[in-house]
Amino acid sequence: MAKHDLDPNYLDPNYEPVVNHSGNASFAHVLQARMQRRTLMKGSVGAALASVMGMGIAGCSFTDDSDDSRTGGGAQSGTELGFKPVAVSNENRVVVPEGYSARSFVPWGTPITGNHPEYRSDGTNTGADQESQVGMHHDGVHFFPIDQKTGGNSSTEGLLVMNHEYINQSALHANGPTKPADNDGVRPVDEVRKEIAAHGVSVIHIRRATDGTWDIVSRSPFNRRITGNTEMDIRGPVRGYSKLATAFSPSGTETRGTLNNCAMGPTPWGTYLAAEENWHGYFATSDTERPREYVRHGVTDSSRYDWELADTDADEYMRFNVSTIGASATDDYRNEANTYGYMVEIDPFTPESKPQKRTALGRFGHEGVIFAPAREGEPVVCYSGDDARFEYIYKFVSSRPYNAATAGGYLLDEGTLYVARFNDDGSGDWLALDLENADFAGKVAAAEGTMVGEIRFDGFENQADVLVNTRLAADIAGATTMDRPEWGAVDPKTGDVYFTLTNNSNRGKEGYDDVNAANPIVENATGHIIRWAEAGGDHAATSFEWDIFVFAGEQGTETVVDGEAAVTLDDTNIFNSPDGLWFDYNGRLWIQTDGSWAPPYQNNMMLAANPVTREIKRFFVGPRNCEVTGVVTTPDVKTMFVNIQHPRGNWPDPSEDRPRDATVIVTRDDGGVIGA
Ligand code: FEO
Ligand code: CA
Ligand code: CA
Ligand code: CA
């Protein structure tokens, strides 16, 4: 792929390469069903809008059903939206409703550990400095109450843990990045060190003072940086697999770093899972024959930041060159990119702990992960979307049961990975990606020797091979290709699972998968939110019933259910490209956007939704050019943390001349519950 095809700052929300050519959704019966049930979307702006359908599913017990047995009839309470919605905005500042305040916190470059190097606003901090400072491009974030391990739920002190998805190279360096083309084909090694250090995860111990302001607990032993170079273990079925053998870890049991950490998920046992999303772009191979593990993920001959061209022989940089160079795989880094694409478990309460890559959850472009509520004696269940056009939604079900007294990351090392098939009639099935499952084994046998998309499929040598090639396994299983699954969220009152489908510019275009019932919009520009209820309310079930919660779009966009508009967007709630999604502890659904900045939407935003009534109100608008991504509150829902990623200009400090990604703390002036 030519370098100019990649926007280094991902300003195009559709930057993920299309690498799924499996054609999974070209099912004639899906299209037929859609045609039968199509509803014309009406728009007040008069333009011929997309033709879509809202599902009205007979027998499906969604939250609209007030006698839903799973809710005890209480689903209506506590989710009202009591604030006055804010208008769209193109100002270079954060907008919150009347009676609320917002201030920026822990911006990129804030010193938190090591020798606490001060942030220099001229960009001259070194790579070593950055290793002790908060990283760039804040994304998924969680607040762990400081007393969580002893059963407490402090709302005044905790560990704020967040991902740093990628970087703005221009802002990171004093004069922008040195390009290899201008520098004898290499990049200065300290620039590369700084870029690697600006990625990863920050653990920040924070406390609220009596005047209500939050500060970092300086010199706290919990404060920590995990970067693109931190040593990690490989865990689960892929541990020790030959396709992960490298010069660094000939046994295929370790690697260095986590990259492109987008969203996350707190586990039921108080750890943090960071997702590895667009990791493929950090590696380059000059091999003319690329292995299927690289083809199906878009690892090419060109990397986004040219780290493999660092002016050094040190293999912590050379490893980004995944070409065949040595005599065998343990002499080079041809397999390095197979050590990426996982969910990475970090224990923020144990600062010396080594992060663990949990391979049983699959290898793909993990946007994040969301756990179902843990129940004593039942399996642990979590969901993860693969954010690229025409990729899939997955579910992991542990083999061993959850027990609060003994729960830990080991529960994520054995279990079944499933992929979702959304049927046209509103039902759905979880398809096991497990060679011991007869249905999957039969499909694998039938596919051998055939072309699966661009890949001539020659079988899986074992379950580790299935997991390293999760996307390919899902193609073979017959999963439903989706419009870029981003975050998921589980309604704490009903157990219904919601996922954002941010957009898909190629849906239904010539040469690409056609629409299907769950992804019914041709060239879906603005996205939608899907939800499902697991059969019998059991998250480990292998079937479900689904519904579209809302279609995003401009004023007049209707989501039609049973012939009636269940939602009609207007000035108070138009949005596009939903991405971040989170249920707060009271059951309000928070929707964040990463979409077009053009009118009528303008800056990216966050809205709140009532999952019962589908009422949606705009709560927050970010500064210019940013994406609003990552949201969490304290347990009392009185302090909210919202992340602002890739701002431009000089947000948040107008006296400085470069932008800084930052967390925004939102509170109510009367000290009340956010959103109520
Ligand atoms: Fe990193 Fe899919 O957003
Ligand atoms: Ca992002
Ligand atoms: Ca995202
Ligand atoms: Ca996005």
Side-chain angles (χ1 to χ4, degrees), residues 70 372-380 401-403 494-495 536-539:
R70 288 168 296 152
R375 290 184 189 149
E376 205 66 17
E378 294 186 22
V380 170
Y402 174 80
N403 180 301
T494 65
D538 176 6
H539 283 279

Side-chain angles (χ1 to χ4, degrees), residues 6 17 20 70 121 128 172 309 365 396 443 483 507 575 599 616:
L6 289 172
N20 187 3
R70 288 168 296 152
S121 61
L172 187 68
L309 302 179
F396 171 82
K443 288 173 181 166
D483 287 350
R507 172 67 70 184
F575 67 105
I616 301 172

Side-chain angles (χ1 to χ4, degrees), residues 13 15-16 277 367 387 484 486 502 577-579 594 627:
Y15 61 84
E16 291 85 357
E277 189 193 10
E367 173 74 16
D387 177 14
R484 296 186 53 201
E486 299 244 31
T502 197
S577 299
D579 186 335
D594 174 20
E627 153 184 359

Side-chain angles (χ1 to χ4, degrees), residues 597-652:
W597 308 315
Y601 309 105
Q602 302 189 321
N603 297 357
N604 278 302
M605 62 186 71
M606 180 169 70
L607 310 97
N610 180 329
V612 179
T613 62
R614 305 194 208 214
E615 181 188 21
I616 301 172
K617 285 185 183 178
R618 189 179 303 105
F619 178 80
F620 179 110
V621 183
R624 277 185 202 149
N625 293 12
C626 82
E627 153 184 359
V628 178
T629 179
V631 54
V632 70
T633 65
T634 49
D636 63 6
V637 198
K638 292 181 175 178
T639 301
M640 176 177 266
F641 303 92
V642 181
N643 276 342
I644 297 299
Q645 186 181 98
H646 58 76
R648 289 293 181 272
N650 52 7
W651 188 88

